[in-house]
Amino acid sequence: MDVSIIGSGYVGTTVAACLADDGHGVVNVDIDEEVVAAINEGHSPIHEPGLDDLLAEHAGGRLRATTDYTAVRDTDVTFLAVGTPSRDDGSIDTSVIEAATRSLGEQLAAKEGDHLVVVKSTVVPGTTDELVIPTLEEELDAPVGESVHVAVNPEFLQMGSAVENFRTPQKIVFGTTGNQWALDQLHALYAGVIETADPAVVETGLREGEMIKYANNAFLASKVSLINDIGNVCKEFDVDAYEVADAIGLDDRIGERFLRSGLGWGGSCFPKDVAAIIAAAEHAGYEPPMLNAAVEVNDLQPERLLDLLADHVDPAGARVAVLGLSFKPGTDDVRGSRAVPVVEGLRERGATVVAYDPVATEKFREKHPDVEVAFADSAAAALDGADACAVVTDWDEFAALDAEFDAMASPVVVDGRHVVERREGITYEGLTW
């Protein structure tokens, strides 16, 4: 099939590369000329394992990028994969998806034949009905459902394993108005993935498709906050929360995934999506106490790490090494990273902060220019002469640190991710164990 994807961020670029690898012809449409040039040169604009290889293989062939919206006319399906960032009150800003939909509608008005518009962006229930469809109809000067059809297909990609997640999904969600042609197009588009991975295929309505993504992320975020709450209790009683989690994870009603207690959740999805569904619920007249509690517990974890560190070293005037800046290993994404409140908290307490991350330093520097922190080019350099160390991201290389701790002025290690082994010669504190 011929596919166009509007937006070339984490989702748009990954989906484009994977669909091209499945044999489809794909064109990315983006307003950022640098991103377009990178894709056409076969380079990923983001750090994601396996993505560079796919772009190198398919760019200039089945995959290309452009800033020209007219490219959508030569395709059968268009994905809307643009950002829906949070407003100050937590609700989503739909201005980008509205603008993208309007530009898309202008082009589809000049196209003959059927076309499927798929909302891949994360939007609260009702957005496709109340914004995307009316905007398309305004530009088309015709009702959606005649030649232009609309569907919702939320993504469940995890940064650091997005390519593998696309290839072997546990579920694929097709939200439609009940339009059989739209369903057939979606099944054809994902035929390769469905045949090889045999995921559950959920056929549902537009609003249900939108809500499934929020429910998925809200549940996982709440699970992390619940195990962190339990972990905080464990710490008070000198109980190893990881041994407890290993045991309760054997119950198939609970499961072991997302039971790693520590600094909490971050990234581009959990913070934004939980805030958005809370804001949407409040707007509808309901205060969701469990989701609000999940956010409260998540916000608490960095403070608990700072308190543990202060039990051993007075932060005022101390040099503190912060290991990890990305919100999780395997990605350079620093959105929602727990490193931000940790670094800011240390600075407020008078510490000098030296930070290191294997891939995310530049992204952190760009996104948080006002955060006062020095950057080291290795974990060893960050630890050299430090009075304390805070482990924020569980990169594998931090688990291999050993002699590097001996170069610290006082080897105090507060581990927020259960990645460093307790050993002689260091004062070790686990956040929840």
Side-chain angles (χ1 to χ4, degrees):
M1 298 177 70
D2 290 313
V3 182
S4 49
I5 299 177
I6 299 176
S8 301
Y10 278 90
V11 175
T13 305
T14 301
V15 171
C18 290
L19 287 176
D21 198 50
D22 273 355
H24 302 292
V26 186
V27 55
N28 269 107
V29 181
D30 200 282
I31 61 173
D32 191 323
E33 294 182 356
E34 291 185 5
V35 168
V36 166
I39 292 173
N40 285 330
E41 291 168 5
H43 302 303
S44 173
I46 57 173
H47 177 84
E48 188 62 45
L51 191 53
D52 260 326
D53 293 339
L54 291 182
L55 289 174
E57 180 178 355
H58 299 297
R62 286 198 292 263
L63 174 63
R64 68 184 181 89
T66 181
T67 59
D68 186 358
Y69 263 85
T70 61
V72 304
R73 297 183 198 168
D74 298 322
T75 63
D76 310 302
V77 179
T78 300
F79 281 98
L80 288 167
V82 296
T84 51
S86 295
R87 296 191 180 101
D88 290 341
D89 65 354
S91 63
I92 62 169
D93 182 347
T94 56
S95 60
V96 179
I97 194 169
E98 181 177 3
T101 302
R102 193 167 299 284
S103 296
L104 173 61
E106 290 174 359
Q107 298 303 322
L108 295 183
K111 182 195 172 186
E112 295 184 359
D114 287 322
H115 195 95
L116 179 62
V117 176
V118 183
V119 178
K120 195 76 169 170
S121 301
T122 301
V123 293
V124 297
T127 304
T128 302
D129 275 330
E130 298 167 12
L131 186 147
V132 174
I133 289 176
T135 302
L136 282 173
E137 290 179 336
E138 184 178 333
E139 297 302 322
L140 294 169
D141 196 24
V144 162
E146 285 190 355
S147 60
V148 174
H149 313 272
V150 173
V152 170
N153 172 225
E155 58 83 16
F156 301 96
L157 306 178
Q158 301 174 61
M159 293 178 187
S161 56
V163 172
E164 185 61 26
N165 295 153
F166 184 95
R167 288 170 167 166
T168 58
Q170 294 179 326
K171 64 177 177 285
I172 300 177
V173 176
F174 297 151
T176 70
T177 59
N179 182 314
Q180 190 58 49
W181 182 86
L183 277 173
D184 290 344
Q185 294 296 296
L186 289 167
H187 275 278
L189 189 66
Y190 283 98
V193 173
I194 293 171
E195 182 179 350
T196 57
D198 193 28
V201 177
V202 179
E203 296 180 0
T204 188
L206 295 175
R207 289 175 181 246
E208 288 78 8
E210 292 166 327
M211 185 63 199
I212 286 168
K213 172 61 183 288
Y214 283 102
N216 212 90
N217 280 352
F219 192 93
L220 293 175
S222 297
K223 186 175 181 181
V224 174
S225 288
L226 177 58
I227 196 61
N228 278 338
D229 207 13
I230 291 170
N232 293 341
V233 175
C234 287
K235 184 72 175 179
E236 295 301 313
F237 288 96
D238 197 25
V239 172
D240 190 328
Y242 274 70
E243 290 191 25
V244 173
D246 287 344
I248 65 174
L250 297 173
D251 189 323
D252 61 10
R253 297 167 300 173
I254 296 174
E256 64 178 351
R257 297 197 67 199
F258 287 80
L259 288 183
R260 289 183 59 84
S261 57
L263 267 174
W265 37 269
S268 62
C269 292
F270 284 9
K272 180 175 77 72
D273 292 353
V274 174
I277 204 61
I278 288 173
E282 290 175 343
H283 182 73
Y286 176 70
E287 292 279 344
M290 277 292 296
L291 296 183
N292 280 315
V295 174
E296 184 179 348
V297 171
N298 200 56
D299 291 343
L300 173 70
Q301 297 308 102
E303 287 296 321
R304 288 184 62 86
L305 181 142
L306 294 171
D307 289 344
L308 281 173
L309 187 144
D311 286 345
H312 300 281
V313 173
D314 182 359
R319 172 187 165 106
V320 180
V322 171
L323 299 184
L325 296 171
S326 59
F327 85 93
K328 72 173 188 177
T331 179
D332 61 350
D333 194 345
V334 299
R335 289 174 291 181
S337 170
R338 300 291 82 193
V340 176
V342 169
V343 171
E344 289 180 339
L346 287 168
R347 291 292 303 148
E348 288 170 3
R349 289 162 172 78
T352 298
V353 180
V354 182
Y356 166 73
D357 189 282
V359 301
T361 297
E362 288 307 313
K363 285 286 181 68
F364 191 91
R365 197 196 308 265
E366 292 169 9
K367 191 167 181 62
H368 302 287
D370 298 329
V371 176
E372 294 184 47
V373 56
F375 298 99
D377 58 9
S378 68
L383 292 169
D384 189 19
D387 298 297
C389 166
V391 181
V392 173
T393 313
D394 44 337
W395 287 99
D396 287 343
E397 71 173 80
F398 299 157
L401 296 173
D402 187 11
E404 291 86 351
F405 291 124
D406 295 333
M408 296 178 66
S410 60
V412 173
V413 178
V414 183
D415 189 352
R417 296 298 185 186
H418 202 259
V419 63
V420 174
E421 287 287 334
R422 190 188 306 269
R423 70 168 178 83
E424 289 186 10
I426 64 174
T427 300
Y428 179 88
E429 281 276 13
L431 184 53
T432 59
W433 60 95

